[in-house]
Amino acid sequence: MKDLVSIIIPVYNKEKYISNCIESVLSQTYEALEIVVINDGSTDSSSQLVIDFIKKDKRIKFFSQANAGVGAARNKGILSATGKDILFLDADDVLSKNYVENLMKYKKYDLVVSGIRIISHERKIEEQQIIPENSVKYLPEDIEKILTHDKYPIFSIVCTKLFNLSIIKENGLAFLPIQYGEDSIFMISYLSKIKTVKTISFVGYINNVVLGTLSHGKNKNVWKQAKLIPENARKILNLSNESNAWQFLMLRSMKLSFMNSTNTYRDFKKNFKIIEDDGAINLLTFSKTNRSIDNFMILMVKYKLIFILYRLFKLRN
């Protein structure tokens, strides 16, 4: 008998996408599935669409809660899941038919990491892919090697991965009630509790970029949440402020905050002042990265070349 795999899908007002999402799960070649859908206070027809699917396939388990955010919805899914392994799927994304089957080939590992295909249907951007190399990494010895510019993008999200549910439950791992960085902090927490990671070049998770969602919208107050990533990493992994991994995460959090405060120069300058008052800028160190562009940014931050930074991040948007 095949091991049961739980797929957790949080849903908030996704009536345009939820049907395609669930269809992609029901059509998986790996059939031993438990589909845990959490309605996070939707006000559109999302719930009814899921209920209609339940009539067709009893593998779907449906729960509703007052709107509390994607992290809380995933936590509800974790508590409700009964599979040996779990996957996280966003309601506007889809899976290739052999997605679960390909990841389950490596179920002996504590974490399986696959690639992602990123598509935008609402604005003209080129299709992107993030593809991990085929390898095995042993933790905790190599965990800081993951916290780098080249490797961390795929490790910073919970989608595209196969997790061991017992490890999550036995260690009480859960998503924080924040809008930004909850994936990163959960991943760092999980990585600190496991021994083996398998990365595979297979790409079967399709991320549909939807404008206006939290992950692709703007929020002027990102820093308060983004700084929790390096702060939690320091505690969980016992990192020093001078370590390459912590420096990378701190700079990355600053970039995220800068990127989300470019509506006006006034907003950007105000955000810079908040980061400066937190003392974060003084903690940045040169030569902790091989990327000259990062050292260039640190230089601009330390010399408070705020307008140039604003123009650079404005151009990136």
Side-chain angles (χ1 to χ4, degrees), residues 212-308:
T213 58
L214 281 173
S215 59
H216 299 102
K218 283 191 177 182
N219 187 312
K220 298 177 184 178
N221 302 311
V222 169
W223 173 248
K224 291 182 179 179
Q225 299 178 66
K227 70 177 182 178
L228 295 177
I229 300 172
E231 287 178 358
N232 276 271
R234 180 172 53 195
K235 296 174 185 177
I236 295 167
L237 304 176
N238 195 29
L239 300 176
S240 70
N241 290 353
E242 293 76 30
S243 70
N244 290 0
W246 188 87
Q247 288 283 323
F248 162 75
L249 291 174
M250 175 56 77
L251 186 60
R252 181 178 179 274
S253 292
M254 284 189 189
K255 290 177 183 177
L256 176 63
S257 184
F258 289 151
M259 188 68 72
N260 281 272
S261 60
T262 58
N263 285 333
T264 67
Y265 177 58
R266 182 180 179 182
D267 288 341
F268 192 90
K269 190 174 181 180
K270 182 179 179 181
N271 184 54
F272 187 96
K273 184 66 165 58
I274 292 172
I275 296 174
E276 183 181 26
D277 289 345
D278 262 355
I281 291 172
N282 293 332
L283 296 173
L284 289 180
T285 304
F286 290 106
S287 302
K288 288 294 183 180
T289 172
N290 292 324
R291 302 183 75 234
S292 57
I293 190 171
D294 285 344
N295 279 326
F296 178 63
M297 179 181 164
I298 293 172
L299 182 70
M300 289 191 291
V301 169
K302 283 186 171 291
Y303 281 93
K304 302 179 185 179
L305 304 177
I306 303 174
F307 185 73
I308 297 176

Side-chain angles (χ1 to χ4, degrees), residues 121-272:
H121 300 284
E122 298 187 21
R123 61 180 177 181
K124 294 181 180 180
I125 62 171
E126 292 184 5
E127 181 179 309
Q128 304 173 50
Q129 290 194 127
I130 304 177
I131 307 174
E133 59 185 344
N134 281 304
S135 66
V136 181
K137 292 181 172 58
Y138 295 90
L139 303 183
E141 294 83 2
D142 291 333
I143 194 167
E144 289 195 42
K145 295 179 182 178
I146 289 172
L147 304 179
T148 62
H149 178 268
D150 293 335
K151 294 184 174 60
Y152 194 58
I154 196 65
F155 278 92
S156 67
I157 55 176
V158 295
C159 298
T160 78
K161 294 164 186 67
L162 183 72
F163 297 85
N164 184 303
L165 183 58
S166 63
I167 291 175
I168 293 175
K169 289 189 173 182
E170 287 170 7
N171 290 283
L173 303 183
F175 291 87
L176 295 181
I178 55 179
Q179 296 177 348
Y180 291 87
E182 75 277 11
D183 275 29
S184 290
I185 295 170
F186 184 89
M187 284 302 305
I188 290 169
S189 299
Y190 187 82
L191 286 166
S192 72
K193 302 298 182 183
I194 62 179
K195 295 181 179 179
T196 58
V197 177
K198 175 66 176 176
T199 59
I200 58 176
S201 58
F202 167 73
V203 178
Y205 189 103
I206 297 91
N207 171 219
N208 290 306
V209 177
V210 179
L211 297 182
T213 58
L214 281 173
S215 59
H216 299 102
K218 283 191 177 182
N219 187 312
K220 298 177 184 178
N221 302 311
V222 169
W223 173 248
K224 291 182 179 179
Q225 299 178 66
K227 70 177 182 178
L228 295 177
I229 300 172
E231 287 178 358
N232 276 271
R234 180 172 53 195
K235 296 174 185 177
I236 295 167
L237 304 176
N238 195 29
L239 300 176
S240 70
N241 290 353
E242 293 76 30
S243 70
N244 290 0
W246 188 87
Q247 288 283 323
F248 162 75
L249 291 174
M250 175 56 77
L251 186 60
R252 181 178 179 274
S253 292
M254 284 189 189
K255 290 177 183 177
L256 176 63
S257 184
F258 289 151
M259 188 68 72
N260 281 272
S261 60
T262 58
N263 285 333
T264 67
Y265 177 58
R266 182 180 179 182
D267 288 341
F268 192 90
K269 190 174 181 180
K270 182 179 179 181
N271 184 54
F272 187 96

Side-chain angles (χ1 to χ4, degrees), residues 59-70:
R59 292 178 295 175
I60 302 173
K61 297 169 66 175
F62 185 55
F63 302 90
S64 289
Q65 64 181 30
N67 181 244
V70 65

